[in-house]
Amino acid sequence: MKHLIDPMDLTVEEIDQLIDLGSKILADKEKYQDVCKHKSLATLFFEPSTRTRLSFEAAMLELGGNVLGFSSANSSSASKGESVSDTVRTVSYYSDIIAMRHPKEGAPLVASRKIDVPLINAGDGGHYHPTQTLTDLMTIYQEKGRFHDLTIGMCGDLKFGRTVHSLIKAMSRYENVRFVMISPEELRLPEYIVKDVFEKKNISYQEVRTMEEVMPDLDILYMTRVQRERFFNEQDYIRLKDSFILDLDKLKTAKKDLCIMHPLPRVNEISTKVDDDPRACYFKQVRYGKFIRMALIMTMLGVNVDED
Amino acid sequence: MKIDSIKDGIVLDHIKAGKSMDIYRYLGLDQLDCSVAIIKNVPSNKMGKKDILKIADNFDINLDVLGYVDPDITVCYIKDYEIVEKRHVELPEQIVNIIRCKNPRCITAEERDIDHIFKLTDRENRIYRCVYCESKKSNH
Ligand SMILES: [Zn+2]
């Protein structure tokens, strides 16, 4: 893997290897604390995303490496009209690996063609965000110990939520995974995903309008934000929004080992009262995200650690 | 209607009726100095009606463009009033700088000097997608 642009660029085997390495780092941080010494990661964020940038930077620092970069287009030469290719190419001479975020779809692909160092897409508009998908997979594996034989509920904005689409594609490659789509009519999963993924691969899926009716079946509940601006009128939003807010009451019928996930940031779609429930995994997800990024950086840099 | 046969050049036959102006434009035939004849709505046994383009110059024709616009076109190369070669075009796997991505959120809307590349993702339905943003372009 030279660059990582689309989460589906990764084979199932490559994902297994990354998860395996991420788990080893998580179990023995000290062993990996200097493996990227004298290497540097450039975080080129043409649009701000503090959460994602810090996760990458923390990952590199904990591997003993250095970080450099910029956190918005204003502080880069992009504001002087330089092309994306030129900006990224210039930085590629100062760094060993690049994590890049850009508001335009396909910008990381364009940039990756002009450089010799590996590039990770850290989000290109509403398009791809492969390290979010890896974070979600790492969380599922850590919490469930497997990718097969799971019932996954996805709740909220399934129409525009790119993390949902990517996770569906990634999880559709494993045996006996059932999907339950929980959304208002207005925000249901796009037809092309139903056709290209569920129907083409003969995967079992169900579409419902409330989480209560499916809660007892779920092994994983992936929550997303329902945004006001997605609705035509205020009444529809107010009428529907409570149905897609998770609280302790709705969790009453859930399994004891349900894993509740959310890509964050959360606004109000999960009641803060749920945070202390052992089934809440969305902050653990942040932590897993750092470890899987560590594994990714090591793998893309070709850094190996001797096995005992 | 009679159009003189050409001595040396290219005849594009079996163009779907009404498509000849698209091809004229895509191939940039307006840039040529030689004679170009656009013959529309010619009766055809196979197609009912068809268009024909006759170009009195052996220029380097972009077969990918033809394949993209209409994969049923036949290209006839003419030398001394004789057809010396007949070629059938195919739907190309990839087309570069023939159509432009219209998605305003795509990097092609911002970056200078970028090739607009579309890949064939569904042969049956002739669907092309932008390699950068995956926007769909259907050519039928
Ligand atoms: Zn595009």
Side-chain angles (χ1 to χ4, degrees), chain B residues 101 106 108 130 132-133:
Chain B
C101 182
C106 179
T108 54
C130 171
Y132 306 106
C133 71

Side-chain angles (χ1 to χ4, degrees), chain B:
Chain B
M1 185 161 113
K2 186 176 177 335
I3 309 270
D4 285 343
S5 297
I6 47 178
K7 182 169 180 285
D8 295 304
I10 296 165
V11 173
L12 305 179
D13 200 359
H14 304 116
I15 301 170
K16 197 182 290 164
K19 284 272 188 186
S20 52
M21 281 311 287
D22 287 351
I23 291 168
Y24 184 85
R25 219 179 30 246
Y26 277 122
L27 288 176
L29 297 184
D30 52 334
Q31 311 288 324
L32 296 178
D33 287 330
C34 66
S35 336
V36 176
I38 303 169
I39 313 163
K40 290 171 74 166
N41 298 323
V42 181
S44 155
N45 292 336
K46 263 201 298 189
M47 308 167 69
K49 266 187 202 171
K50 65 178 181 181
D51 288 1
I52 300 174
L53 273 173
K54 293 189 175 188
I55 306 153
D57 183 20
N58 262 316
F59 81 117
D60 190 12
I61 199 161
N62 186 336
L63 295 175
D64 283 351
V65 173
L66 293 178
Y68 170 71
V69 181
D70 182 353
D72 298 324
I73 292 174
T74 313
V75 184
C76 307
Y77 293 89
I78 313 285
K79 223 169 190 165
D80 280 328
Y81 302 103
E82 300 278 338
I83 296 175
V84 290
E85 191 186 352
K86 249 188 195 186
R87 268 208 218 171
H88 296 280
V89 296
E90 275 172 24
L91 217 50
E93 283 299 327
Q94 178 173 298
I95 48 177
V96 181
N97 295 330
I98 293 170
I99 44 173
R100 297 180 69 81
C101 182
K102 293 200 174 79
N103 174 8
R105 296 179 310 277
C106 179
I107 185 63
T108 54
E110 187 175 292
E111 187 87 339
R112 292 180 305 271
D113 301 329
I114 189 170
D115 287 332
H116 286 242
I117 307 172
F118 281 75
K119 273 205 159 78
L120 183 63
T121 56
D122 181 347
R123 184 169 284 277
E124 199 181 325
N125 297 305
R126 292 187 192 176
I127 288 169
Y128 285 83
R129 284 182 190 274
C130 171
V131 297
Y132 306 106
C133 71
E134 294 171 288
S135 287
K136 195 155 79 169
K137 184 92 185 182
S138 158
N139 77 331
H140 58 163

Side-chain angles (χ1 to χ4, degrees), chain A residues 273-305:
Chain A
K273 295 204 174 67
V274 176
D275 296 0
D276 297 326
D277 190 293
R279 291 169 288 191
C281 296
Y282 32 94
F283 286 108
K284 287 187 191 171
Q285 225 170 321
V286 176
R287 183 164 167 268
Y288 294 139
K290 182 189 69 185
F291 287 108
I292 199 71
R293 286 184 176 93
M294 290 168 83
L296 183 64
I297 291 169
M298 279 181 67
T299 303
M300 293 183 76
L301 283 175
V303 172
N304 293 307
V305 174

